[in-house]
Amino acid sequence: MNNIVSLSRWVKYLLVFITLLQMSSFAMVMSLGELENGAYLYTLNWGGFYSHFSIDFEHTWQSIAQVLEAEGLHAGWILGSVELMPCLVIYFFLYRLFSLYQTRQIFTQANFNYLSYIALTCLAWLFISLLYPLLITLLLRVFERAEATSFYFSFGSQELYYLLTSLVIYCIAWIMKQAAELHDDAELTV
């Protein structure tokens, strides 16, 4: 049990580090990077050391990113921030889950809840990735910014990945719920 407590503490530190790193690199690329072939790129050059940062959009989002840029809008902030949000939500729920583990609460209803929230976030991201390009195109047409913009709807391997991930995490959550119920029954039996 002490290993779980110690590991949970380190995982929480790692989650905070990853969150800060992702947010700061996102802000840096969006502020200083340029759109090239459907991806925002920013390269740091420190003498002999190069660091390359990029945020790219899937094939469907690449076309919309180019249309937004042609209309004088910053596609990175419009598309990229929506892409960043599910990651931040998942990091938050993972942090809370490992906080429970750190306090030796392994088989609880709260564990099931946090795992379910992560699964729902992945499922929500599936619908966002399908519908957000349509919404952006509709808004561009309503505000007469780009009438020739086609409506994009794409269901590919990335969307299947979100669906599969959501289902697997929910199954793990359900198993944790069953384990919590067994754990509670075992504590009542003396």
Side-chain angles (χ1 to χ4, degrees):
M1 186 60 98
N2 289 335
N3 290 340
I4 292 173
V5 171
S6 178
L7 181 64
S8 296
R9 182 179 21 239
W10 285 105
V11 169
K12 285 174 49 181
Y13 293 147
L14 184 61
L15 284 169
V16 169
F17 175 73
I18 289 170
T19 302
L20 294 174
L21 181 65
Q22 188 169 7
M23 289 174 53
S24 60
S25 64
F26 176 80
M28 181 176 58
V29 170
M30 290 301 112
S31 299
L32 304 172
E34 295 181 15
L35 183 66
E36 296 177 22
N37 299 324
Y40 275 90
L41 304 172
Y42 181 69
T43 303
L44 288 174
N45 182 0
W46 296 324
F49 176 75
Y50 290 95
S51 184
H52 178 75
F53 298 90
S54 69
I55 296 174
D56 59 346
F57 303 110
E58 296 175 29
H59 55 87
T60 303
W61 292 44
Q62 285 177 357
S63 301
I64 294 172
Q66 292 168 349
V67 169
L68 288 170
E69 288 290 327
E71 292 298 320
L73 302 169
H74 196 287
W77 289 111
I78 295 170
L79 300 175
S81 58
V82 170
E83 196 170 67
L84 179 66
M85 292 308 294
C87 292
L88 297 178
V89 171
I90 289 171
Y91 295 156
F92 172 75
F93 290 133
L94 282 172
Y95 186 89
R96 299 296 303 260
L97 181 67
F98 281 97
S99 294
L100 290 174
Y101 293 160
Q102 189 177 1
T103 59
R104 302 174 192 265
Q105 298 178 43
I106 308 299
F107 300 110
T108 65
Q109 179 66 32
N111 293 36
F112 167 74
N113 291 342
Y114 288 132
L115 285 169
S116 296
Y117 298 154
I118 292 169
L120 287 173
T121 302
C122 290
L123 191 60
W125 178 232
L126 167 69
F127 290 110
I128 289 170
S129 70
L130 292 174
L131 299 177
Y132 193 64
L134 295 171
L135 177 65
I136 293 296
T137 304
L138 181 65
L139 289 174
L140 286 172
R141 285 184 170 204
V142 166
F143 291 110
E144 298 178 0
R145 296 293 296 250
E147 292 179 22
T149 306
S150 299
F151 284 102
Y152 295 100
F153 183 80
S154 174
F155 189 84
S157 60
Q158 189 68 27
E159 289 79 16
L160 288 173
Y161 173 77
Y162 294 138
L163 181 61
L164 180 63
T165 302
S166 177
L167 293 174
V168 168
I169 292 172
Y170 188 76
C171 287
I172 292 169
W174 186 81
I175 291 169
M176 288 296 286
K177 181 179 182 182
Q178 297 303 312
E181 290 173 4
L182 288 173
H183 183 263
D184 290 344
D185 289 346
E187 284 188 351
L188 293 176
T189 307
V190 178

